[in-house]
Amino acid sequence: MSVHIVLAPGFAGFDALGQLEYYAGVTPLFRQWRNREPRTHVALRCFDNFPTAAVPTRAARLRSYLAKRIARGEFVAGDTVALVGHSTGGLDIRWLLRELPRSGEPIAVDGGAGVEPREILDLVNRVVFLSVPQWGTNLADWINTHEIARTVITAELRAVVAVSQAPLLDKLQNLIAGAAAWLTNSDLLLAVEDALSEADVDTCGNDPLRTASAQEAASELALWLRHMASDFSAIEDLTAEVPADGPKSPAHFSLEDRAGELANWNSHGIRTRSYATLGRRPFRFEPGKPAHRWDLINPFTYPEVSKAPDLSAGTDLVYRAAYRACAGGPFAYPTDPAFVPTATHLGSREQRHIEIWDNDGIVNTASMLWPNGPETLLVDGDHEDITGHFQRVEAIEGRGRRFQAYDLLKSGTDFRATFEQVWRGLFDFCL
């Protein structure tokens, strides 16, 4: 019998863009964990998805991926599959498991090989949720109200990767060199610069491997942006406010729908575990009350105006802006009578109260408290820390990129020990 741990990405969707990995540092940790004592037939698999497509579309791609593994004999009867979803990836898993029992037709893969939906259900016995917006997130509502700006930015990026990256790189480097300290401290800018450098064929000289790698990186980046430009439906599937035309995402399911999900999982012997991330609070919001929405026409709501200097120390503008946008909005505690805004802290095992405005820079923390409720394991960190992007990791030399992992959201948290504790516990649970 083999255990297959499948990592599903969240919003962004990739397994790797060039040398940039979605789940950074997880594979080396998995090897250490597996070798700690004899553990045979345990495999870690990374799945890549469409970056910003609707949840049903992303779930269908995950279904096809699992069906192919069965059709090719990689997953066989007696094996078990553990699905691990970060952020939107958790909603993809929920939609997949909800739809499989309703699917009457075989899943056709690899030129006509048919796989019964039941075969997938029979394999899945563990599901892990990492920072999943089970009830939506204010950040999605905020982004949804700025569609024009989002479209313009994506179009500009697509135009850049279609040609040589050198002109934009020069502009970006000049910007970083002349910017204020708060801007030069942003790893997000470093990640953009590295992505463009890695994809720049003009800097490869006569090195055929470097040239081929740059062409591959440029193609991956161009396709990724093309997907984003053509289908950005995921943002509507992540909103805290239920769409006027009804639920289209597990984040918007009714209590009755959710009860049906749990019943389905129980009937198939699927056990779940949830991890919720709680970011550092850079603002002084009033306990017990919602935070005001970040209003672009009201300067007093801007993150650099409303921040608390002592609380925001060690954070960068990217994290503060994301946290501020996520803090205020339509998200409210779920109406489920059984819902309690508390979670079990991973380190102390104490019950912690979660404020309505608490978040990890991307998702409201209280939205992550399902289906495990107070048993959800709470960790101090931001949305990207838990995927391994809590520190800079140098990339392989000679490939155009300086780093392969970053502290994408500088939330001022030392996450190294917590990262190892989360993932070792996750691997143990998947067995």
Side-chain angles (χ1 to χ4, degrees):
M1 183 186 80
S2 297
V3 177
H4 307 274
I5 303 173
V6 179
L7 305 183
F11 198 83
F14 60 86
D15 166 23
L17 279 177
Q19 294 183 72
L20 178 62
E21 299 172 351
Y22 189 95
Y23 288 100
V26 172
T27 298
L29 191 59
F30 171 75
R31 287 179 61 109
Q32 295 173 14
W33 167 85
R34 189 180 59 183
N35 295 333
R36 186 175 55 188
E37 58 182 272
R39 296 177 186 267
T40 58
H41 308 300
V42 183
L44 182 68
R45 300 173 179 271
C46 295
F47 161 71
D48 67 312
N49 211 333
F50 301 121
T52 55
V55 166
T57 303
R58 291 165 53 102
R61 182 174 172 88
L62 176 57
R63 181 190 64 181
S64 178
Y65 170 87
L66 296 173
K68 283 183 179 181
R69 309 282 82 74
I70 294 173
R72 295 172 182 176
E74 298 173 39
F75 296 174
V76 299
D79 287 357
T80 61
V81 171
L83 300 176
V84 179
H86 174 247
S87 196
T88 313
L91 299 182
D92 300 337
I93 292 170
R94 284 178 58 189
W95 188 276
L96 168 74
L97 296 178
R98 178 177 182 260
E99 293 301 309
L100 282 175
R102 305 181 179 191
S103 304
E105 298 295 324
I107 305 163
V109 295
D110 286 355
V115 175
E116 296 292 337
R118 176 83 188 190
E119 294 182 71
I120 298 177
L121 272 175
D122 287 344
L123 290 174
V124 178
N125 75 336
R126 295 287 187 275
V127 172
V128 180
F129 297 114
L130 302 173
S131 310
V132 175
Q134 308 283 15
W135 305 87
T137 171
N138 282 334
L139 186 62
D141 295 85
W142 193 87
I143 293 175
N144 218 24
T145 61
H146 301 90
E147 181 178 1
I148 295 178
R150 184 190 74 217
T151 302
V152 169
I153 292 172
T154 303
E156 289 295 327
L157 288 173
R158 289 186 65 193
V160 165
V161 298
V163 296
S164 171
Q165 281 72 46
L168 184 67
L169 265 176
D170 291 339
K171 293 180 181 179
L172 184 61
Q173 289 166 351
N174 290 335
L175 171 65
I176 293 175
W182 54 262
L183 186 58
T184 59
N185 194 38
S186 172
D187 276 29
L188 185 59
L189 281 180
L190 292 179
V192 172
E193 185 180 13
D194 274 356
L196 295 173
S197 296
E198 186 179 34
D200 190 1
V201 178
D202 294 341
T203 63
C204 299
N206 295 321
D207 185 341
L209 177 60
R210 172 73 182 93
T211 299
S213 297
Q215 291 172 338
E216 181 181 37
S219 298
E220 291 175 352
L221 188 58
L223 179 60
W224 184 66
L225 290 169
R226 183 177 182 181
H227 281 315
M228 291 177 65
S230 62
D231 190 350
F232 212 84
S233 303
I235 205 67
E236 298 176 2
D237 292 342
L238 299 174
T239 58
E241 189 170 13
V242 179
D245 52 353
K248 296 180 179 179
S249 157
H252 305 138
F253 281 172
S254 66
L255 297 182
E256 183 179 0
D257 290 331
R258 292 170 188 268
E261 288 184 87
L262 297 180
N264 176 40
W265 299 348
N266 288 334
S267 67
H268 289 92
I270 298 174
R271 292 178 56 196
T272 65
R273 172 178 286 187
S274 297
Y275 291 87
T277 37
L278 178 65
R280 185 174 180 178
R281 302 167 172 174
F283 308 96
R284 284 194 174 89
F285 299 125
E286 190 172 352
K289 294 185 178 181
H292 294 295
R293 186 193 297 261
W294 178 7
D295 186 353
L296 290 182
I297 64 174
N298 182 359
F300 292 103
T301 65
Y302 277 56
E304 290 309 282
V305 175
S306 56
K307 71 179 181 181
D310 55 333
L311 298 179
S312 61
T315 66
D316 70 349
L317 177 62
V318 174
Y319 174 71
R320 292 193 296 273
Y323 190 102
R324 183 65 187 88
C326 191
F331 176 74
Y333 290 141
T335 57
D336 186 348
F339 179 83
V340 179
T342 62
T344 304
H345 191 267
L346 180 64
S348 66
R349 295 291 168 172
E350 297 175 349
Q351 287 292 304
R352 296 275 188 90
H353 175 73
I354 309 299
E355 294 286 351
I356 192 70
W357 37 262
D358 272 326
N359 66 84
D360 65 358
I362 302 295
V363 175
N364 298 89
T365 303
S367 180
M368 308 174 197
L369 309 183
W370 189 90
N372 303 92
E375 296 177 0
T376 297
L377 295 174
L378 184 69
V379 295
D380 296 312
D382 63 54
H383 197 71
E384 300 302 332
D385 284 343
I386 203 165
T387 63
H389 290 283
F390 56 89
Q391 63 181 350
R392 295 179 192 174
V393 177
E394 292 186 0
I396 301 172
E397 295 183 4
R399 298 278 294 277
R401 179 185 289 273
R402 290 176 295 168
F403 304 99
Q404 62 186 28
Y406 309 84
D407 189 359
L408 291 176
L409 293 171
K410 287 186 181 294
S411 56
T413 303
D414 184 0
F415 201 76
R416 182 188 301 271
T418 304
F419 178 76
E420 294 188 5
Q421 186 178 4
V422 166
W423 282 94
R424 291 184 190 280
L426 184 156
F427 295 144
D428 287 336
F429 175 77
C430 290
L431 286 184

PDB file of all heavy atoms in Angstrom, residues 200-225:
ATOM      1  N   ASP A 200      14.760  36.395 -19.289  1.00  0.00           N
ATOM      2  CA  ASP A 200      15.388  37.278 -20.268  1.00  0.00           C
ATOM      3  C   ASP A 200      16.434  36.519 -21.086  1.00  0.00           C
ATOM      4  O   ASP A 200      17.547  36.266 -20.628  1.00  0.00           O
ATOM      5  CB  ASP A 200      16.030  38.470 -19.553  1.00  0.00           C
ATOM      6  CG  ASP A 200      16.478  39.550 -20.531  1.00  0.00           C
ATOM      7  OD1 ASP A 200      16.269  39.366 -21.748  1.00  0.00           O
ATOM      8  OD2 ASP A 200      17.034  40.563 -20.081  1.00  0.00           O
ATOM      9  N   VAL A 201      16.078  36.153 -22.315  1.00  0.00           N
ATOM     10  CA  VAL A 201      16.960  35.384 -23.192  1.00  0.00           C
ATOM     11  C   VAL A 201      18.190  36.195 -23.582  1.00  0.00           C
ATOM     12  O   VAL A 201      19.269  35.635 -23.820  1.00  0.00           O
ATOM     13  CB  VAL A 201      16.192  34.921 -24.446  1.00  0.00           C
ATOM     14  CG1 VAL A 201      17.093  34.150 -25.402  1.00  0.00           C
ATOM     15  CG2 VAL A 201      14.992  34.066 -24.049  1.00  0.00           C
ATOM     16  N   ASP A 202      18.070  37.515 -23.635  1.00  0.00           N
ATOM     17  CA  ASP A 202      19.172  38.362 -24.108  1.00  0.00           C
ATOM     18  C   ASP A 202      20.391  38.312 -23.197  1.00  0.00           C
ATOM     19  O   ASP A 202      21.482  38.725 -23.596  1.00  0.00           O
ATOM     20  CB  ASP A 202      18.692  39.815 -24.225  1.00  0.00           C
ATOM     21  CG  ASP A 202      17.645  39.977 -25.316  1.00  0.00           C
ATOM     22  OD1 ASP A 202      17.564  39.086 -26.185  1.00  0.00           O
ATOM     23  OD2 ASP A 202      16.913  40.986 -25.297  1.00  0.00           O
ATOM     24  N   THR A 203      20.233  37.837 -21.974  1.00  0.00           N
ATOM     25  CA  THR A 203      21.357  37.815 -21.025  1.00  0.00           C
ATOM     26  C   THR A 203      22.046  36.452 -20.967  1.00  0.00           C
ATOM     27  O   THR A 203      22.928  36.253 -20.131  1.00  0.00           O
ATOM     28  CB  THR A 203      20.867  38.183 -19.613  1.00  0.00           C
ATOM     29  OG1 THR A 203      19.929  37.182 -19.157  1.00  0.00           O
ATOM     30  CG2 THR A 203      20.189  39.536 -19.602  1.00  0.00           C
ATOM     31  N   CYS A 204      21.645  35.522 -21.830  1.00  0.00           N
ATOM     32  CA  CYS A 204      22.129  34.138 -21.728  1.00  0.00           C
ATOM     33  C   CYS A 204      23.454  33.887 -22.443  1.00  0.00           C
ATOM     34  O   CYS A 204      24.082  32.842 -22.236  1.00  0.00           O
ATOM     35  CB  CYS A 204      21.078  33.174 -22.279  1.00  0.00           C
ATOM     36  SG  CYS A 204      19.520  33.235 -21.381  1.00  0.00           S
ATOM     37  N   GLY A 205      23.879  34.812 -23.317  1.00  0.00           N
ATOM     38  CA  GLY A 205      25.124  34.597 -24.046  1.00  0.00           C
ATOM     39  C   GLY A 205      25.041  33.370 -24.941  1.00  0.00           C
ATOM     40  O   GLY A 205      24.026  33.122 -25.606  1.00  0.00           O
ATOM     41  N   ASN A 206      26.103  32.565 -24.915  1.00  0.00           N
ATOM     42  CA  ASN A 206      26.163  31.361 -25.754  1.00  0.00           C
ATOM     43  C   ASN A 206      25.877  30.089 -24.962  1.00  0.00           C
ATOM     44  O   ASN A 206      26.218  28.999 -25.412  1.00  0.00           O
ATOM     45  CB  ASN A 206      27.542  31.260 -26.412  1.00  0.00           C
ATOM     46  CG  ASN A 206      27.802  32.402 -27.381  1.00  0.00           C
ATOM     47  OD1 ASN A 206      26.898  32.821 -28.107  1.00  0.00           O
ATOM     48  ND2 ASN A 206      29.039  32.912 -27.393  1.00  0.00           N
ATOM     49  N   ASP A 207      25.291  30.230 -23.809  1.00  0.00           N
ATOM     50  CA  ASP A 207      24.998  29.073 -22.968  1.00  0.00           C
ATOM     51  C   ASP A 207      23.665  28.462 -23.411  1.00  0.00           C
ATOM     52  O   ASP A 207      22.600  29.037 -23.170  1.00  0.00           O
ATOM     53  CB  ASP A 207      24.908  29.501 -21.505  1.00  0.00           C
ATOM     54  CG  ASP A 207      24.735  28.328 -20.554  1.00  0.00           C
ATOM     55  OD1 ASP A 207      24.330  27.244 -21.017  1.00  0.00           O
ATOM     56  OD2 ASP A 207      24.991  28.494 -19.347  1.00  0.00           O
ATOM     57  N   PRO A 208      23.689  27.298 -24.084  1.00  0.00           N
ATOM     58  CA  PRO A 208      22.439  26.729 -24.603  1.00  0.00           C
ATOM     59  C   PRO A 208      21.460  26.315 -23.509  1.00  0.00           C
ATOM     60  O   PRO A 208      20.245  26.449 -23.678  1.00  0.00           O
ATOM     61  CB  PRO A 208      22.900  25.514 -25.416  1.00  0.00           C
ATOM     62  CG  PRO A 208      24.261  25.183 -24.877  1.00  0.00           C
ATOM     63  CD  PRO A 208      24.861  26.477 -24.447  1.00  0.00           C
ATOM     64  N   LEU A 209      21.970  25.809 -22.376  1.00  0.00           N
ATOM     65  CA  LEU A 209      21.074  25.415 -21.291  1.00  0.00           C
ATOM     66  C   LEU A 209      20.410  26.638 -20.683  1.00  0.00           C
ATOM     67  O   LEU A 209      19.198  26.626 -20.428  1.00  0.00           O
ATOM     68  CB  LEU A 209      21.846  24.650 -20.210  1.00  0.00           C
ATOM     69  CG  LEU A 209      21.029  24.249 -18.968  1.00  0.00           C
ATOM     70  CD1 LEU A 209      19.864  23.346 -19.354  1.00  0.00           C
ATOM     71  CD2 LEU A 209      21.928  23.553 -17.936  1.00  0.00           C
ATOM     72  N   ARG A 210      21.183  27.680 -20.440  1.00  0.00           N
ATOM     73  CA  ARG A 210      20.623  28.909 -19.890  1.00  0.00           C
ATOM     74  C   ARG A 210      19.598  29.505 -20.848  1.00  0.00           C
ATOM     75  O   ARG A 210      18.543  29.987 -20.424  1.00  0.00           O
ATOM     76  CB  ARG A 210      21.758  29.916 -19.619  1.00  0.00           C
ATOM     77  CG  ARG A 210      21.294  31.308 -19.230  1.00  0.00           C
ATOM     78  CD  ARG A 210      20.740  31.354 -17.819  1.00  0.00           C
ATOM     79  NE  ARG A 210      20.256  32.689 -17.498  1.00  0.00           N
ATOM     80  CZ  ARG A 210      19.003  33.106 -17.658  1.00  0.00           C
ATOM     81  NH1 ARG A 210      18.092  32.285 -18.145  1.00  0.00           N
ATOM     82  NH2 ARG A 210      18.653  34.334 -17.334  1.00  0.00           N
ATOM     83  N   THR A 211      19.886  29.467 -22.158  1.00  0.00           N
ATOM     84  CA  THR A 211      18.945  29.996 -23.152  1.00  0.00           C
ATOM     85  C   THR A 211      17.640  29.211 -23.135  1.00  0.00           C
ATOM     86  O   THR A 211      16.549  29.787 -23.129  1.00  0.00           O
ATOM     87  CB  THR A 211      19.563  29.949 -24.555  1.00  0.00           C
ATOM     88  OG1 THR A 211      20.745  30.757 -24.579  1.00  0.00           O
ATOM     89  CG2 THR A 211      18.586  30.474 -25.598  1.00  0.00           C
ATOM     90  N   ALA A 212      17.759  27.864 -23.131  1.00  0.00           N
ATOM     91  CA  ALA A 212      16.559  27.027 -23.121  1.00  0.00           C
ATOM     92  C   ALA A 212      15.764  27.245 -21.845  1.00  0.00           C
ATOM     93  O   ALA A 212      14.522  27.305 -21.875  1.00  0.00           O
ATOM     94  CB  ALA A 212      16.942  25.555 -23.260  1.00  0.00           C
ATOM     95  N   SER A 213      16.452  27.391 -20.702  1.00  0.00           N
ATOM     96  CA  SER A 213      15.766  27.619 -19.428  1.00  0.00           C
ATOM     97  C   SER A 213      15.059  28.965 -19.426  1.00  0.00           C
ATOM     98  O   SER A 213      13.941  29.087 -18.909  1.00  0.00           O
ATOM     99  CB  SER A 213      16.769  27.551 -18.271  1.00  0.00           C
ATOM    100  OG  SER A 213      17.349  26.268 -18.172  1.00  0.00           O
ATOM    101  N   ALA A 214      15.687  29.983 -20.005  1.00  0.00           N
ATOM    102  CA  ALA A 214      15.073  31.302 -20.074  1.00  0.00           C
ATOM    103  C   ALA A 214      13.842  31.279 -20.975  1.00  0.00           C
ATOM    104  O   ALA A 214      12.808  31.898 -20.659  1.00  0.00           O
ATOM    105  CB  ALA A 214      16.080  32.326 -20.588  1.00  0.00           C
ATOM    106  N   GLN A 215      13.923  30.579 -22.097  1.00  0.00           N
ATOM    107  CA  GLN A 215      12.768  30.462 -22.991  1.00  0.00           C
ATOM    108  C   GLN A 215      11.612  29.746 -22.297  1.00  0.00           C
ATOM    109  O   GLN A 215      10.448  30.148 -22.430  1.00  0.00           O
ATOM    110  CB  GLN A 215      13.169  29.721 -24.272  1.00  0.00           C
ATOM    111  CG  GLN A 215      14.118  30.504 -25.162  1.00  0.00           C
ATOM    112  CD  GLN A 215      14.639  29.670 -26.319  1.00  0.00           C
ATOM    113  OE1 GLN A 215      14.642  28.433 -26.275  1.00  0.00           O
ATOM    114  NE2 GLN A 215      15.092  30.340 -27.374  1.00  0.00           N
ATOM    115  N   GLU A 216      11.953  28.696 -21.553  1.00  0.00           N
ATOM    116  CA  GLU A 216      10.925  27.960 -20.821  1.00  0.00           C
ATOM    117  C   GLU A 216      10.282  28.848 -19.755  1.00  0.00           C
ATOM    118  O   GLU A 216       9.061  28.883 -19.613  1.00  0.00           O
ATOM    119  CB  GLU A 216      11.531  26.723 -20.174  1.00  0.00           C
ATOM    120  CG  GLU A 216      10.534  25.874 -19.407  1.00  0.00           C
ATOM    121  CD  GLU A 216      11.178  24.662 -18.763  1.00  0.00           C
ATOM    122  OE1 GLU A 216      12.328  24.775 -18.289  1.00  0.00           O
ATOM    123  OE2 GLU A 216      10.542  23.590 -18.733  1.00  0.00           O
ATOM    124  N   ALA A 217      11.116  29.578 -19.004  1.00  0.00           N
ATOM    125  CA  ALA A 217      10.591  30.459 -17.960  1.00  0.00           C
ATOM    126  C   ALA A 217       9.708  31.546 -18.553  1.00  0.00           C
ATOM    127  O   ALA A 217       8.655  31.890 -17.997  1.00  0.00           O
ATOM    128  CB  ALA A 217      11.744  31.074 -17.173  1.00  0.00           C
ATOM    129  N   ALA A 218      10.135  32.117 -19.696  1.00  0.00           N
ATOM    130  CA  ALA A 218       9.339  33.160 -20.344  1.00  0.00           C
ATOM    131  C   ALA A 218       8.002  32.612 -20.823  1.00  0.00           C
ATOM    132  O   ALA A 218       6.954  33.268 -20.690  1.00  0.00           O
ATOM    133  CB  ALA A 218      10.119  33.752 -21.513  1.00  0.00           C
ATOM    134  N   SER A 219       8.008  31.392 -21.359  1.00  0.00           N
ATOM    135  CA  SER A 219       6.768  30.776 -21.833  1.00  0.00           C
ATOM    136  C   SER A 219       5.814  30.494 -20.678  1.00  0.00           C
ATOM    137  O   SER A 219       4.609  30.725 -20.781  1.00  0.00           O
ATOM    138  CB  SER A 219       7.075  29.484 -22.586  1.00  0.00           C
ATOM    139  OG  SER A 219       7.865  29.741 -23.729  1.00  0.00           O
ATOM    140  N   GLU A 220       6.366  29.973 -19.578  1.00  0.00           N
ATOM    141  CA  GLU A 220       5.538  29.695 -18.404  1.00  0.00           C
ATOM    142  C   GLU A 220       4.916  30.977 -17.857  1.00  0.00           C
ATOM    143  O   GLU A 220       3.724  31.008 -17.511  1.00  0.00           O
ATOM    144  CB  GLU A 220       6.378  29.018 -17.318  1.00  0.00           C
ATOM    145  CG  GLU A 220       6.813  27.601 -17.648  1.00  0.00           C
ATOM    146  CD  GLU A 220       7.741  27.023 -16.595  1.00  0.00           C
ATOM    147  OE1 GLU A 220       8.162  27.784 -15.703  1.00  0.00           O
ATOM    148  OE2 GLU A 220       8.056  25.817 -16.672  1.00  0.00           O
ATOM    149  N   LEU A 221       5.714  32.034 -17.781  1.00  0.00           N
ATOM    150  CA  LEU A 221       5.224  33.300 -17.260  1.00  0.00           C
ATOM    151  C   LEU A 221       4.166  33.903 -18.176  1.00  0.00           C
ATOM    152  O   LEU A 221       3.146  34.414 -17.715  1.00  0.00           O
ATOM    153  CB  LEU A 221       6.402  34.270 -17.094  1.00  0.00           C
ATOM    154  CG  LEU A 221       6.125  35.593 -16.389  1.00  0.00           C
ATOM    155  CD1 LEU A 221       5.562  35.351 -14.986  1.00  0.00           C
ATOM    156  CD2 LEU A 221       7.401  36.434 -16.309  1.00  0.00           C
ATOM    157  N   ALA A 222       4.400  33.824 -19.498  1.00  0.00           N
ATOM    158  CA  ALA A 222       3.438  34.360 -20.453  1.00  0.00           C
ATOM    159  C   ALA A 222       2.111  33.598 -20.389  1.00  0.00           C
ATOM    160  O   ALA A 222       1.029  34.200 -20.418  1.00  0.00           O
ATOM    161  CB  ALA A 222       4.017  34.304 -21.861  1.00  0.00           C
ATOM    162  N   LEU A 223       2.183  32.255 -20.310  1.00  0.00           N
ATOM    163  CA  LEU A 223       0.965  31.456 -20.236  1.00  0.00           C
ATOM    164  C   LEU A 223       0.222  31.730 -18.942  1.00  0.00           C
ATOM    165  O   LEU A 223      -1.023  31.829 -18.925  1.00  0.00           O
ATOM    166  CB  LEU A 223       1.313  29.974 -20.335  1.00  0.00           C
ATOM    167  CG  LEU A 223       0.136  28.987 -20.245  1.00  0.00           C
ATOM    168  CD1 LEU A 223      -0.869  29.243 -21.371  1.00  0.00           C
ATOM    169  CD2 LEU A 223       0.629  27.548 -20.274  1.00  0.00           C
ATOM    170  N   TRP A 224       0.943  31.867 -17.844  1.00  0.00           N
ATOM    171  CA  TRP A 224       0.339  32.156 -16.541  1.00  0.00           C
ATOM    172  C   TRP A 224      -0.431  33.463 -16.591  1.00  0.00           C
ATOM    173  O   TRP A 224      -1.577  33.544 -16.147  1.00  0.00           O
ATOM    174  CB  TRP A 224       1.465  32.197 -15.501  1.00  0.00           C
ATOM    175  CG  TRP A 224       1.032  32.393 -14.088  1.00  0.00           C
ATOM    176  CD1 TRP A 224       0.308  31.530 -13.322  1.00  0.00           C
ATOM    177  CD2 TRP A 224       1.332  33.513 -13.251  1.00  0.00           C
ATOM    178  NE1 TRP A 224       0.134  32.040 -12.058  1.00  0.00           N
ATOM    179  CE2 TRP A 224       0.753  33.253 -11.989  1.00  0.00           C
ATOM    180  CE3 TRP A 224       2.045  34.686 -13.442  1.00  0.00           C
ATOM    181  CZ2 TRP A 224       0.865  34.159 -10.925  1.00  0.00           C
ATOM    182  CZ3 TRP A 224       2.150  35.585 -12.386  1.00  0.00           C
ATOM    183  CH2 TRP A 224       1.562  35.314 -11.140  1.00  0.00           C
ATOM    184  N   LEU A 225       0.179  34.501 -17.168  1.00  0.00           N
ATOM    185  CA  LEU A 225      -0.495  35.799 -17.271  1.00  0.00           C
ATOM    186  C   LEU A 225      -1.663  35.744 -18.253  1.00  0.00           C
ATOM    187  O   LEU A 225      -2.686  36.409 -18.055  1.00  0.00           O
ATOM    188  CB  LEU A 225       0.512  36.866 -17.705  1.00  0.00           C
ATOM    189  CG  LEU A 225       1.560  37.245 -16.649  1.00  0.00           C
ATOM    190  CD1 LEU A 225       2.658  38.093 -17.263  1.00  0.00           C
ATOM    191  CD2 LEU A 225       0.900  37.971 -15.487  1.00  0.00           C
TER     192      LEU A 225
END
